[in-house]
Amino acid sequence: MICYYNHLVAPLLGLRFSIAKPFQPRAHNPMASDLSSDSSVFRGVSSSSPIRRRDLVFVVNPRGANGKTGIEWKKLLPYLQSRLGSDCNICESLTSGPSHAIDITREAIREGADAVIAVGGDGTLHEVVNGFFWDGKPVANQKTEAVHSTALGLIPLGTGSDFARTLGWKNDPCEAIERIAKGVRSRIDVGVISREGEGSHYFINVADIHLSAKAGYYASRYKKFGNLCYVIGALQAFIGHRNQDLRIKVNEGEWQTCSQVTALCVGNAKYFGGGMKITPNADPHSGSFEVVILQDFKWYDFLLKLHKLYNGTHLSVNNVTSRNVYTIEVDDISGSGNIFIQSDGEHLGFLPRKLSILPAAIEMIS
């Protein structure tokens, strides 16, 4: 069985959810903590049936990878339906703009979905992961008949996924569907980023600070050029760049100074920037981050050592340090307020920030 989830943003009214059959549309505030439970976004075999069908919500950004994700998804959908349709209710949910995947995920979890599957690259996965949390806590399933928590799934499409690389997964959607069909789960860690007076933000891959975050910010403007956008972003970020002294506090210890920091990367997983193995020892099942700090790098250091950054052998380079941590706080000594921070390629603003690991926070289809 397949159902289609059409999500449209109505000005001043929040999101309206509708399913072609057989579901009546209803509006709700996507930021509300409680949703009415008079109807479900899922329709299939009732809970009283002897065989329970799995409710799977596929979150797709059709504009991802310059529209390539939407095109590939349409080609994949018939195979997905034939492989999973006999055992699952397949709900397709197309995003309509930034943060929409967060709202879709929260709704699906509250409605008791077996899994929410991010279809596309790291940007969609990042939003879906953030949808697993609300107001600093995991989103709760409001359906009492659920037998287990909602799992996270991933089908890499378009330009692929740096997080999938960490798990050793190929950029092969058919292989991903086989994982979903088997339904094997394992718990993975999630990072949380906080700042006094602001809400928490979650990441599954890598958070980074200063030059690399600035490069990512500029690269987001050139997504139409594919992975070349990272090169363009880096070149633009180098213009006017200055290494900065930062203060860090590790595992709630004492503040210490890191001089002339070029980039500070906090890895829950290994890769970022389209395949750069920046935190090569990070493992999302380890219960800790790997923090890699590059200090006093010049522009020519990146040219000479770029191959080491991509293959993960840069930890032997002078002025590169690595450590495992559970929490790290980072602040700008100068107080300039212009040190960039991003997570999973999404710009978050500027320092200061605290980053903490949430061990085994989410079940993932693996």
Side-chain angles (χ1 to χ4, degrees), residues 103-287:
D103 300 318
I104 294 168
T105 301
R106 286 176 180 156
E107 169 75 1
I109 294 171
R110 287 166 177 150
E111 292 283 355
D114 284 74
V116 180
I117 293 100
V119 180
D122 292 301
T124 302
L125 177 62
H126 176 77
E127 287 201 3
V128 169
V129 166
N130 273 269
F132 273 76
F133 301 91
W134 165 258
D135 196 24
K137 299 177 183 178
V139 174
N141 177 359
Q142 296 181 346
K143 300 296 181 181
T144 57
E145 66 270 19
V147 295
H148 48 63
S149 62
T150 300
L152 170 68
L154 173 63
I155 298 180
L157 279 186
T159 55
S161 166
D162 278 325
F163 186 74
R165 288 186 179 94
T166 290
L167 300 179
W169 295 349
K170 300 175 183 177
N171 191 26
D172 182 345
C174 293
E175 185 179 284
I177 290 171
E178 287 305 308
R179 285 194 296 271
I180 294 165
K182 293 175 182 176
V184 177
R185 297 175 173 215
S186 63
R187 287 212 163 260
I188 60 168
D189 307 332
V190 171
V192 58
I193 302 174
S194 57
R195 181 176 182 173
E196 187 174 353
E198 296 184 9
S200 298
H201 196 91
Y202 301 86
F203 69 100
I204 195 171
N205 202 42
V206 177
D208 52 301
I209 291 166
H210 204 21
L211 179 64
S212 55
K214 191 190 301 185
Y217 173 76
Y218 290 128
S220 65
R221 303 177 179 181
Y222 305 104
K223 289 285 184 72
K224 63 182 179 181
F225 296 110
N227 281 341
L228 186 60
C229 71
Y230 298 113
V231 177
I232 300 171
L235 291 173
Q236 191 168 352
F238 266 119
I239 299 173
H241 169 76
R242 293 180 61 188
N243 297 324
Q244 295 283 350
D245 295 342
L246 301 180
R247 292 198 312 153
I248 67 170
K249 181 193 288 188
V250 173
N251 298 337
E252 309 296 344
E254 298 296 324
W255 284 101
Q256 52 189 284
T257 298
C258 279
S259 62
Q260 294 300 291
V261 173
T262 307
L264 186 154
C265 302
V266 181
N268 185 49
K270 300 179 188 299
Y271 297 89
F272 79 160
M276 187 179 292
K277 200 173 184 180
I278 190 67
T279 46
N281 299 314
D283 179 356
H285 304 94
S286 67

Side-chain angles (χ1 to χ4, degrees), residues 70-87:
I71 293 170
E72 291 190 10
W73 170 248
K74 288 180 180 178
K75 294 177 181 177
L76 182 65
L77 196 53
Y79 173 73
L80 184 146
Q81 185 176 359
S82 66
R83 182 66 182 86
L84 302 176
S86 61
D87 302 314

